[in-house]
């Protein structure tokens, strides 16, 4: 009976230094234990699972072969980094993933020296690794930079900008392309087809195997010749790889789950004098966990789940998610308007456009992780008479800001931006918070910027986006489920720039934008009970403002509060500007703006995030009471009311 180790190998590995003490033959068992630990941890926390399972062997091999953290390992997106975190001193905290005060769900510099660069937005790893590699080259410091980038992330232009620039890094830069033939959805576009051809060209693989055997038997100086022959072979069989044309030595494709292949190849890459080198590994998203392998999405993002059955915890049936309300509304609108087309940047289900894709496949475009292209592509469609809906999460739209300004706003084109995940998003934390879209869009001439207070409003706003012939319109709405309000049978055409009074009062006016309306109404109840009669307005538009309504409220109430799920420079700033321009604050009106604090908020439950941000009912009440105690010199008088 082979001696069964009494302690799991994983228990002997706290950091990669411990890992590197193991024998190569032990790594298979270590990887199996690492996979089991990853499954067990994510079963209790939820999070991103499929991607991490796909890189268990790769993570093990990289940390085994390269001298991390001195060799800088940079994960692209970082959603696959849980095995990496377990192997780099954070196993004891892995079950705090994506929770308040816990580990981030992505790599994070402040968390560990083994996370030299933060991630979460896709396709940044090669640029960052090139920065580290070039710094080392300039300073003479030893060490390589290794970027691990997925096939999905390779669909973003930024990856090519970096590769185009990489030759100078020489052998300091290693790029590992983790090709699992999946993005969040199945990958799209020419690159995906290209990678599939490489992976499937058997004659090439046969030739490569023979060459590798020859190369191994040759003394080292001949390796170079063999490698050139190898490139020639590649040129013969595949017309030169895209990556070599960009100046990389291409190695692969190799089986990313086979440690016997991975270790020697990575050792060769580590010791190579030439570079930069791109290693193409083929992996399986969800590898080693049957429920993930069988799932269409390979368990990309999961709720807590039963590890035995893979059954995910089901949220109690509640109101529909905003993304699906938008998707269904757009499907309805498209039935009677064939100008409508829909664009996603690799997020069909997250944006709710999967419904549109099923109903109108010819008018649906998944452009891959390519937000900049998505926006200008939409601008082209609009310029040629279509009514494009570009559905991009608030945070990911940041990447395409110049396209929004230069190609859409200046040309005043009727592109419609469906901005999901607007506001705080909970477990994904600061990198995914949709904090800035009102600030960065409402400052642009020609733009209309709306915020839905609930799912019924989202239906009305989607309809208005279709019907209103104007320049660009953005409608923003939050992650998650609606409020449970009834959805309208017939959507209303909203008058651009007009808000609505939801509750009439006399002394305090709360001017709300978006779904903070519910908290504003709760605050109004409390204030009424304190004898402070409160008006609540849903402004609906951050641009153009409903100036007549704002003017009336500010001149008939003692205190006015604006509230929005966005950073400074949004609704509050625009109302303040109006008020100051028109002298509405010269006569003693107490005007206060409530917005997200000037900081990047870590992951937590959304309600906790909003309470911490001072954007819940209690904060509104406190702000009103404090304003009432502010004397003319701005001193807060007396004890708390
Ligand atoms: C700029 C940007 N757009 C969209 C996303 C959402 N997103 C996260 S992971 C992912 C797919 C990544 O695919 P791939 O790189 O192949 O990694 P895999 O999940 O297959 O391991 C997408 C679209 C993102 N993180 N960043
Ligand atoms: C890793 C990544 O960027 C996506 O998977 C993102 O986490 C999805 O966010 P939602 O869960 O809000 O759709
Ligand atoms: Mg992939």
């Amino acid at each position: 009976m082979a001696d069964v180790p009494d302690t799991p190998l994983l228990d002997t590995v706290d950091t990669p230094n411990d890992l590197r003490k193991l024998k190569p033959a032990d790594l298979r068992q270590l990887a199996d234990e690492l996979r089991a630990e990853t499954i067990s941890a994510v079963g209790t926390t939820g999070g991103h699972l499929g991607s991490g399972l796909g890189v268990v062997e790769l993570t093990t091999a990289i940390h085994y072969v390269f001298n991390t953290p001195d060799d800088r390992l940079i994960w692209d997106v970082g959603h696959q980094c849980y095995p990496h975190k377990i192997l780099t001193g954070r196993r004891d905290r892995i079950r705090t993933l994506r929770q308040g005060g816990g580990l981030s769900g992505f790599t994070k510099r402040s968390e560990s020296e083994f996370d030299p660069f933060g991630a979460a937005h896709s396709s940044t790893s090669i640029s960052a690794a090139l920065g580290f590699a070039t710094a080392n080259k300039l300073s003479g410091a030893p060490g390589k930079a290794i970027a691990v980038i997925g096939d999905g992330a390779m669909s973003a232009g930024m990856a090519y900008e970096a590769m185009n620039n990489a030759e100078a890094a020489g052998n300091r830069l290693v790029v590992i392309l983790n090709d699992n033939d999946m993005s969040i959805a199945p990958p799209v576009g020419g690159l995906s087809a290209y990678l599939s051809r490489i992976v499937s060209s058997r004659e090439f693989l046969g030739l490569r195997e023979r060459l590798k055997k020859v190369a191994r038997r040759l003394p080292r100086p001949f390796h170079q010749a063999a490698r050139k022959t190898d490139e020639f072979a590649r040129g013969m069989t595949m017309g030169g790889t895209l990556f070599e044309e960009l100046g990389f030595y291409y190695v692969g494709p190799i089986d990313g789950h086979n440690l016997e292949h991975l270790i020697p190849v990575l050792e060769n890459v580590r010791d190579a004098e030439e570079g930069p080198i791109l290693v193409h590994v083929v992996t399986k998203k969800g590898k080693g966990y049957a429920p993930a392998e069988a799932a269409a999405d390979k368990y990309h993002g999961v709720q807590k789940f039963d590890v035995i059955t893979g059954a995910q915890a089901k949220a109690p049936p509640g109101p529909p998610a905003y993304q699906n309300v938008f998707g269904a509304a757009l499907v309805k609108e498209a039935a009677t308007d064939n100008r409508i087309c829909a664009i996603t940047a690799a997020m069909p289900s997250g944006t709710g456009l999967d419904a549109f894709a099923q109903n109108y496949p010819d008018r649906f475009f998944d452009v891959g992780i390519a937000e900049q292209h998505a926006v200008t592509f939409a601008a082209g469609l609009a310029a040629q008479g279509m009514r494009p809906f570009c559905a991009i999460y608030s945070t990911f739209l940041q990447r395409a800001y110049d396209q929004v300004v230069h190609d859409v706003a200046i040309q005043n084109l009727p592109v419609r931006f469906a901005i999901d995940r607007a506001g705080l998003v909970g477990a994904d934390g600061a990198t995914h918070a949709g904090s800035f879209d009102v600030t960065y869009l409402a400052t642009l001439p020609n733009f209309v910027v709306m915020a839905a207070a609930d799912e019924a409003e989202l239906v009305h706003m989607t309809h208005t986006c279709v019907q209103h012939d104007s320049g660009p319109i953005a409608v923003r709405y939050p992650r998650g489920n609606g409020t449970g309000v009834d959805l309208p049978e017939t959507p209303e055409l909203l008058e651009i720039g007009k808000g609505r009074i939801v509750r009439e009062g006399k002394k305090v006016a709360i001017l709300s934008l978006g779904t903070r309306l519910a908290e504003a109404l709760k605050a109004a109840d409390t204030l009424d009970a304190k004898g402070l009669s409160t008006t609540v307005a849903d402004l609906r538009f951050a641009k153009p403002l409903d100036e007549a309504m704002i003017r009336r409220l500010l001149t008939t109430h003692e205190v006015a509060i604006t509230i929005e799920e966005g950073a400074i420079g949004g609704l509050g700033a625009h109302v303040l500007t109006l008020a100051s321009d028109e002298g509405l604050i010269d006569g003693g009106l107490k005007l206060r703006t409530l917005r997200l604090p000037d900081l990047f908020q870590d992951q937590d439950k959304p309600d906790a995030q909003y309470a911490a941000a001072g954007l819940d009912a209690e904060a509104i009440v406190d702000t009103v009471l404090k304003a009432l105690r502010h004397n003319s010199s701005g001193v807060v008088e007396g004890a708390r009311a």
Side-chain angles (χ1 to χ4, degrees), residues 507-513 520 523 527 534-537 539 553-554 557-564 571-572 575 589-595 614-617 619-628:
K507 192 176 178 71
V508 178
I510 303 175
L511 291 74
S512 167
L513 182 76
L527 291 164
T534 298
T535 297
V536 178
L539 288 186
L553 292 175
L554 270 48
H557 290 71
E558 202 179 313
V559 181
I561 308 280
T562 67
I563 183 164
E564 61 196 296
L571 171 84
V575 170
L589 163 75
K590 294 171 186 288
L591 174 55
R592 303 291 183 271
T593 64
L594 288 176
R595 69 252 171 208
L615 289 182
D616 59 5
I620 298 170
V621 172
D622 284 351
T623 304
V624 170
L625 299 179
K626 195 171 162 195
L628 287 169

Side-chain angles (χ1 to χ4, degrees), residues 49-333:
L49 181 64
S51 312
L53 292 180
V55 295
V56 164
E57 287 81 8
L58 183 60
T59 305
T60 304
I62 292 171
H63 283 298
Y64 190 74
V65 170
F66 289 96
N67 182 32
T68 53
D70 297 343
D71 285 334
R72 304 308 225 174
L73 172 55
I74 293 146
W75 294 95
D76 204 283
V77 181
H79 61 316
Q80 75 292 71
C81 74
Y82 304 177
H84 159 80
K85 293 201 174 190
I86 290 168
L87 289 183
T88 54
R90 289 167 278 183
R91 183 184 178 190
D92 60 332
R93 300 183 63 211
I94 201 69
R95 287 169 176 76
T96 68
L97 262 180
R98 297 161 49 91
Q99 296 151 54
L103 289 179
S104 164
F106 306 102
T107 51
K108 193 169 179 180
R109 282 173 54 84
S110 59
E111 219 174 82
S112 165
E113 60 178 334
F114 288 95
D115 292 4
F117 206 72
H121 285 203
S122 163
S123 318
T124 60
S125 61
I126 303 175
S127 298
L130 182 56
F132 282 97
T134 307
N136 279 347
K137 216 175 154 197
L138 290 172
S139 68
K144 295 189 186 261
I146 304 109
V148 182
I149 184 168
D151 55 304
M154 264 304 186
S155 60
M158 185 174 178
Y160 299 88
E161 292 168 22
M163 288 196 289
N164 186 45
N165 207 218
E167 192 136 17
N171 71 346
R172 298 295 197 121
L173 174 67
V174 176
V175 174
I176 298 177
L177 167 56
N178 171 35
D179 180 4
N180 56 19
D181 196 24
M182 272 296 281
S183 184
I184 292 183
V188 294
L191 177 83
S192 165
Y194 173 74
L195 292 175
S196 305
R197 276 201 308 282
I198 293 183
V199 174
S200 60
S201 68
R202 285 289 150 237
E203 67 285 341
F204 174 69
L205 285 177
L207 186 60
R208 296 267 298 135
E209 282 316 307
R210 287 197 296 282
L211 278 167
K212 219 184 291 177
K213 289 198 182 74
V214 168
R216 260 197 227 109
R217 281 200 296 277
L218 295 171
R220 180 169 283 281
F222 285 93
H223 281 198
Q224 174 69 3
R227 182 194 296 287
K228 284 294 168 207
T229 321
D230 181 0
E231 269 178 34
F232 174 66
R234 227 185 331 282
M236 261 192 331
T237 51
M238 297 212 306
T241 65
L242 167 70
F243 307 106
E244 280 169 343
E245 301 307 316
L246 285 169
F248 280 76
Y249 285 88
Y250 168 86
V251 175
I254 56 173
D255 176 353
H257 300 299
N258 184 327
L259 287 158
E260 270 109 57
H261 286 188
L262 277 174
I263 301 291
V265 167
L266 291 183
E267 284 171 340
N268 283 341
V269 168
R270 177 195 62 199
D271 301 339
E273 281 89 46
E274 313 83 9
I277 296 177
L278 182 138
V279 184
H280 180 184
V281 297
V282 179
T283 62
K284 217 174 174 181
K285 195 164 183 176
K287 174 78 176 176
Y289 188 51
E293 289 188 11
D297 68 355
K298 308 299 173 199
Y299 275 26
H300 172 85
V302 290
Q303 303 302 321
K304 298 174 182 174
F305 60 89
D306 177 321
V307 170
I308 308 298
T309 65
Q312 295 183 50
K314 286 244 176 306
Y322 280 98
Q323 66 206 55
N324 298 327
V325 170
F326 164 68
L330 195 64
V331 165
K332 253 194 197 155
E333 296 288 345

Side-chain angles (χ1 to χ4, degrees), residues 48 77 79 106 120 184 300 347 350 393 396 421 428 432 479:
H48 293 99
V77 181
H79 61 316
F106 306 102
I184 292 183
H300 172 85
M347 311 282 290
Y393 290 9
F396 298 144
R421 277 51 173 190
D428 272 342
H432 283 59
R479 181 179 199 274

Side-chain angles (χ1 to χ4, degrees), residues 6 13 92 221 310 370 390 441 541 543 549:
D6 41 8
V13 174
D92 60 332
C390 201
L441 293 176
F541 294 81
K543 187 169 197 177
M549 176 195 279

Side-chain angles (χ1 to χ4, degrees), residues 362-378:
D362 298 345
R363 291 192 258 162
F364 168 75
F365 303 94
D366 178 351
V367 297
I369 309 179
E371 286 83 1
Q372 295 169 330
H373 161 59
V375 171
T376 305
F377 173 50

